[in-house]
Amino acid sequence: MKLELLGHLILTVAIFGSLFLFVAYAVYFERKVAAKMQNRVGPDRVGWYGLLQPFADILKLLLKEEIIATQATKFVHTLAPAISVIMAFITFAMIPIAEGFYIADINIGMLYMMAVTSIGVYGVTLAGWSSNSKYSLLGSMRASAQMISYELSMGLAVVGVILITQSISVVSIVESQTENILYWNIIRQPLGFLIFWIASFAEANRLPFDLPESEQELVGGFHTEYSSMRFALFFFAEYTHLIVASSILTTVYLGGYQIPFQSFLFPGLDGWWLVSAQILTFILKMCLFVFLFMWVRWTLPRFKYNHLMELGWKYLLPLGLLNVVLTAGWLLIYDGF
Amino acid sequence: MSELKKQPRTTDELLRLLEDEHTFVTLEGEGDALDTEMVINMGPSHPATHGVLRVVLKMNGETITRAIPELGYLHRAMEKLAENKSYHEFMPYTDRLDYMMPYSNNVAWCLAVEKAAGIEVPERAQVIRTLACELARISSHLLWLGSMVMDTGALTLFLHTFREREKIYDIFDLLTGARFTVSHSRIGGLASDLSPEALTALKSFIKQFPAHVQSWEKLLNRNKIFLQRTVGIGYIDGDLAVDMGLTGPNLRGSGVEWDLRKKMPYLKYADLQFDIPTSADGDSFSRYWVRMQEFYESVRIIEQCLDKLAPGPVRVDFAKQVYPWKSEVYHTMEGLIHDFMLTDWGVCPEPGQVYQAIETSKGELGFYIQSDGTGHPWRMKIRSPSFVNLQSLPYLLEGSQMADTVVIIGSLDPVMGEADK
């Protein structure tokens, strides 16, 4: 019993530790991707090809002076970044990165993930409100409105998957896709995938849905009044969201850790080799989504508030409902009532 | 001091206490019984106001109910300074007017002084001026394109336009010896001739440039989000645009075909073939579209100028009014004397007044000079297009959304150095 607990603890630390590392390097990756798209070189001074840049950034932010606006509500002001970053992190607990490798598998895993990401919005909203600045307030107002609109569509998109799987557990969702590549939910639920993907842009506060921070008109929005490590936490939370959103997309729609065509390509794989290969597959799939997020960010303009609402309520929500009805109807016919 | 101790009760009162009375913008007189409106101060230091433009916005949620622009944060008393400078000494100041296209400003100033003094500039100098003005227009429009698209949220295009601007800087470097503030035009001609290296660089630039504009148009013209951000945003109809005094692409974006290059030709424009793109929609997108078409027209003009480029002098050989070449100054007595006289007294136009305007990338840039016969203007007035164009800002902003402000300001393309003078 004790040994099992210890093993679990080590796994937890390992997963969260590597998540930290991934988030740090997501920033580096983003800067390199942006640089490539903009005819620039990107960070290349610190370390080999600038690979130590994330640590230099963190160190710089740690050493900066911490400024709290005099009119800010101090307790909430301090609490907000913590909420953001913690909620972003604990979402990852549900995600299996290889067969049997996950921090927790609860029978309502999908619900848990939706719930926790919703709480994450509080971080942004409270930050804007407690800063007592008009720009921040506008940013946090946008954040809360945006999250409500997109959570709904996201939830509806997931309902389709849940109907197919007949389970809300994340592990079961992944295992239901392991048969072969045709069983991936992206094939079985293309509309649901599209809705979920668009909504996860809004969830992760990424362009074209980064209205809460829109640096052009709101000059950073909810985190305008933050500096030093508190700002770094928001920054961290944003990139954690990016990684987590990509992981969720991988898990729910791209067969999670499943290696495509495994029985053809690597028939004799088992034991630790299999686990490593699965982890690698998972990381590659996740990186694909991370790259897509970045590609979109450095290409598209930003939505306007009213168009964002329009897209959320007039298009994604009805489409989500349609997806649920179609999936349910198909299941009813397929399973023969 | 007693006023500071008083506790502010309303937002307006608080603002009044915080502000210097001379910079205070009053936003009173509207019925807002429930106090749902918020006054938000945008600028003078704000990333999307293109310099130091300050706009005080009264917002109801995300909607702007009133907007008051506040100018003058970059006021450097250019017009007053001109009264104490000789005509030549004022040249570098014009570089700093609209710092996106210094060459056009130089040319506008020179044309005004030449008109006052009755100097006829040689053919080759005029062609080079025309060509460089169009190059400056491209450079200015490039910055506008990058920053306007950046204001809508797409950051990458800004870097792409700057890559092209960099090439233009290099051409200016070869042509004038300076990358940014060129001061190349001289009263009565040019500081130097177009060198073969500059010509090669220019030719290779205009050869590849239209393809880049096409690729940007491909990215933007049918981009759903970009259209949502610009179509119907910041609408102004043609009549009102004329009444407001809009000029340049902002006026042509409202369907009024007015371009000084065609209507009151100066330099070589009368001999050149080019179109005036207009669009009658009057919104941000049509202003965008007009400027994009002007890229192609400018390239066309430059190509024709290159054909017209015949050998010849680039400065008038009349040392009473126009600086002699340095070779003359260093090696002849008369040259040295004339150089001294021109530096000391300068060009002395006949007493009288003169107004000369050119079409820059922002609109009608005019210099009004009142001369009393001495070497510096008795009074000089700059008709700067950015300043007049900004007049329409309150009209355009009212009723639009917070996110539109940056796009509308971007589509008007003001440069504060010129607006504040």
Side-chain angles (χ1 to χ4, degrees):
Chain A
M1 182 64 205
K2 260 185 187 159
L3 207 66
E4 198 181 312
L5 198 68
L6 189 72
H8 215 81
L9 205 65
I10 291 170
L11 184 68
T12 310
V13 170
I15 288 180
F16 275 148
S18 43
L19 184 58
F20 254 106
L21 210 64
F22 265 94
V23 171
Y25 276 96
V27 182
Y28 171 81
F29 186 50
E30 167 121 60
R31 289 175 69 173
K32 277 288 188 193
V33 168
K36 270 276 170 292
M37 292 180 72
Q38 300 173 342
N39 311 311
R40 294 188 286 118
V41 182
D44 71 337
R45 297 287 111 175
V46 194
W48 190 61
Y49 280 100
L51 274 169
L52 293 175
Q53 187 67 38
F55 302 105
D57 286 347
I58 292 168
L59 199 67
K60 182 201 79 173
L61 283 163
L62 264 172
L63 295 174
K64 284 231 162 185
E65 187 192 355
E66 194 141 14
I67 301 162
I68 302 178
T70 48
Q71 297 296 309
T73 313
K74 288 199 181 56
F75 177 66
V76 186
H77 194 78
T78 317
L79 188 67
I83 294 180
S84 263
V85 91
I86 290 170
M87 290 308 154
F89 261 90
I90 62 175
T91 322
F92 202 80
M94 285 297 120
I95 292 168
I97 51 167
E99 207 172 339
F101 274 73
Y102 43 80
I103 295 172
D105 172 32
I106 50 177
N107 53 0
I108 50 159
M110 223 37 235
L111 269 183
Y112 165 87
M113 284 210 285
M114 303 298 290
V116 169
T117 43
S118 303
I119 297 173
V121 186
Y122 279 96
V124 174
T125 313
L126 289 176
W129 176 78
S130 69
S131 299
N132 216 347
S133 148
K134 287 170 183 172
Y135 285 103
S136 304
L137 185 67
L138 276 173
S140 63
M141 251 161 55
R142 286 174 175 191
S144 37
Q146 174 179 323
M147 294 298 164
I148 292 168
S149 332
Y150 282 82
E151 284 282 287
L152 276 173
S153 325
M154 207 175 201
L156 281 173
V158 170
V159 168
V161 173
I162 292 169
L163 279 172
I164 290 177
T165 319
Q166 306 280 325
S167 165
I168 315 183
S169 154
V170 182
V171 174
S172 330
I173 288 176
V174 175
E175 275 164 5
S176 77
Q177 305 175 58
T178 44
E179 198 114 346
N180 65 47
I181 200 163
L182 287 177
Y183 277 77
W184 287 7
N185 281 329
I186 191 171
I187 311 272
R188 296 195 288 182
Q189 286 276 311
L191 186 61
F193 167 73
L194 209 65
I195 297 167
F196 194 94
W197 191 32
I198 294 172
S200 57
F201 274 101
E203 271 305 303
N205 260 338
R206 302 282 297 182
L207 215 124
F209 299 104
D210 67 338
L211 280 97
E213 60 171 294
S214 49
E215 61 250 40
Q216 272 78 31
E217 66 258 27
L218 295 186
V219 216
F222 64 92
H223 61 58
T224 307
E225 302 294 334
Y226 279 85
S227 60
S228 181
M229 209 50 210
R230 277 168 224 216
F231 168 74
L233 282 181
F234 274 123
F235 201 67
F236 223 72
E238 193 191 317
Y239 282 90
T240 316
H241 269 300
L242 175 71
I243 300 264
V244 168
S246 308
S247 307
I248 296 176
L249 276 162
T250 308
T251 309
V252 178
Y253 288 101
L254 227 56
Y257 50 76
Q258 189 213 331
I259 307 164
F261 310 113
Q262 191 198 342
S263 43
F264 291 113
L265 295 173
F266 320 101
L269 212 60
D270 61 347
W272 283 103
W273 286 109
L274 182 65
V275 171
S276 318
Q278 282 176 339
I279 292 176
L280 194 69
T281 316
F282 181 84
I283 290 171
L284 283 177
K285 285 177 184 174
M286 185 192 77
C287 285
L288 172 75
F289 279 112
V290 169
F291 174 70
L292 284 174
F293 272 112
M294 288 170 183
W295 189 6
V296 168
R297 170 168 180 187
W298 296 105
T299 310
L300 288 182
R302 180 183 303 112
F303 270 98
K304 219 166 76 180
Y305 187 64
N306 51 346
H307 293 130
L308 178 94
M309 289 289 138
E310 216 173 88
L311 182 72
W313 292 100
K314 288 191 187 162
Y315 297 99
L316 289 187
L317 194 64
L319 278 176
L321 282 169
L322 182 75
N323 186 45
V324 171
V325 172
L326 283 180
T327 313
W330 187 74
L331 279 176
L332 210 58
I333 296 161
Y334 186 75
D335 292 348
F337 299 91
Chain B
M1 273 319 282
S2 64
E3 208 184 338
L4 275 175
K5 282 184 186 134
K6 210 170 66 184
Q7 199 64 32
R9 266 166 297 166
T10 61
T11 331
D12 277 2
E13 248 179 60
L14 177 72
L15 271 174
R16 196 187 292 276
L17 289 180
L18 290 175
E19 293 279 344
D20 175 17
E21 65 173 310
H22 298 293
T23 60
F24 187 71
V25 178
T26 317
L27 268 173
E28 285 176 322
E30 286 102 298
D32 179 24
L34 295 174
D35 201 21
T36 54
E37 297 191 331
M38 178 164 85
V39 176
I40 193 162
N41 185 37
M42 198 170 175
S45 174
H46 186 285
T49 54
H50 297 221
V52 285
L53 172 65
R54 178 191 175 203
V55 190
V56 182
L57 303 166
K58 195 161 199 173
M59 318 254 310
N60 188 356
E62 288 265 336
T63 316
I64 295 158
T65 52
R66 274 201 73 189
I68 295 178
E70 164 96 338
L71 277 77
Y73 284 92
L74 203 62
H75 181 59
R76 291 153 297 174
M78 290 262 191
E79 291 170 357
K80 192 70 190 166
L81 279 167
E83 292 170 19
N84 297 297
K85 302 257 170 247
S86 77
Y87 290 97
H88 258 123
E89 276 175 338
F90 189 66
M91 186 82 67
Y93 288 81
T94 61
D95 283 335
R96 280 111 183 129
L97 268 177
D98 179 352
Y99 34 77
M100 292 308 131
M101 31 153 225
Y103 207 104
S104 305
N105 304 333
N106 295 161
V107 169
W109 173 244
C110 287
L111 285 177
V113 179
E114 282 155 12
K115 194 174 175 183
I119 302 169
E120 196 64 40
V121 178
E123 176 84 7
R124 186 176 166 88
Q126 287 198 25
V127 175
I128 294 173
R129 277 183 182 180
T130 314
L131 174 156
C133 277
E134 291 308 314
L135 204 58
R137 185 189 313 279
I138 292 177
S139 166
S140 165
H141 278 2
L142 278 175
L143 187 105
W144 152 82
L145 176 67
S147 60
M148 180 190 167
V149 175
M150 189 166 71
D151 287 345
T152 66
L155 289 139
T156 297
L157 200 68
F158 185 75
L159 277 297
H160 284 233
T161 62
F162 254 77
R163 181 192 59 206
E164 297 307 307
R165 283 201 87 202
E166 192 62 33
K167 294 173 190 164
I168 296 182
Y169 280 154
D170 288 343
I171 295 170
F172 273 132
D173 193 11
L174 291 168
L175 172 65
T176 70
R179 278 159 58 81
F180 193 54
T181 46
V182 289
S183 284
H184 183 241
S185 205
R186 291 283 180 275
I187 292 161
L190 298 172
S192 62
D193 199 356
L194 182 67
S195 65
E197 296 85 35
L199 199 64
T200 323
L202 184 61
K203 274 180 180 158
S204 73
F205 173 75
I206 58 167
K207 202 180 239 173
Q208 49 87 42
F209 181 64
H212 286 297
V213 183
Q214 272 163 9
S215 76
W216 299 330
E217 281 197 296
K218 219 182 269 178
L219 182 70
L220 293 168
N221 278 2
R222 290 174 62 210
N223 185 324
K224 181 84 177 150
I225 304 176
F226 184 71
L227 290 179
Q228 278 181 344
R229 293 298 302 272
T230 51
V231 172
I233 303 301
Y235 173 78
I236 184 163
D237 66 51
D239 293 336
L240 192 63
V242 172
D243 288 347
M244 289 251 185
L246 293 192
T247 44
N250 297 332
L251 183 65
R252 295 193 283 277
S254 293
V256 183
E257 201 182 329
W258 180 261
D259 191 321
L260 291 179
R261 290 176 292 174
K262 275 259 196 261
K263 304 288 173 186
M264 300 174 186
Y266 52 94
L267 295 176
K268 301 306 293 173
Y269 284 111
D271 312 338
L272 297 168
Q273 300 294 316
F274 62 98
D275 299 323
I276 311 173
T278 53
S279 167
D281 297 336
D283 55 12
S284 298
F285 185 78
S286 85
R287 292 192 278 274
Y288 154 83
W289 187 85
V290 165
R291 288 197 179 91
M292 290 308 266
Q293 300 312 307
E294 285 189 0
F295 279 129
Y296 300 117
E297 295 305 321
S298 290
V299 171
R300 253 178 88 188
I301 293 172
I302 293 175
E303 277 166 355
Q304 291 174 47
C305 285
L306 288 177
D307 293 339
K308 281 184 186 296
L309 211 58
V314 293
R315 206 189 291 173
V316 180
D317 190 16
F318 180 54
K320 295 282 177 211
Q321 281 182 313
V322 179
Y323 270 106
W325 291 97
K326 280 285 177 235
S327 56
E328 236 173 297
V329 177
Y330 291 149
H331 301 292
T332 66
M333 191 58 162
E334 288 77 14
L336 189 62
I337 292 171
H338 282 131
D339 195 67
F340 273 151
M341 293 300 277
L342 273 172
T343 306
D344 200 16
W345 285 352
V347 194
C348 302
E350 290 296 300
Q353 50 190 347
V354 102
Y355 177 75
Q356 172 68 40
I358 71 162
E359 182 80 23
T360 67
S361 69
K362 310 286 186 296
E364 177 185 339
L365 172 69
F367 285 98
Y368 166 79
I369 296 169
Q370 199 159 18
S371 166
D372 55 357
T374 58
H376 26 245
W378 185 77
R379 171 81 172 97
M380 197 276 284
K381 162 99 180 78
I382 305 165
R383 193 267 182 217
S384 62
S386 294
F387 180 68
V388 184
N389 288 348
L390 275 175
Q391 190 167 242
S392 62
L393 197 59
Y395 173 80
L396 296 175
L397 284 183
E398 272 158 36
S400 58
Q401 303 251 311
M402 176 71 184
D404 293 335
T405 49
V406 289
V407 179
I408 289 172
I409 294 172
S411 78
L412 280 180
D413 190 22
V415 168
M416 296 321 287
E418 188 180 60
D420 291 343
K421 290 176 267 198

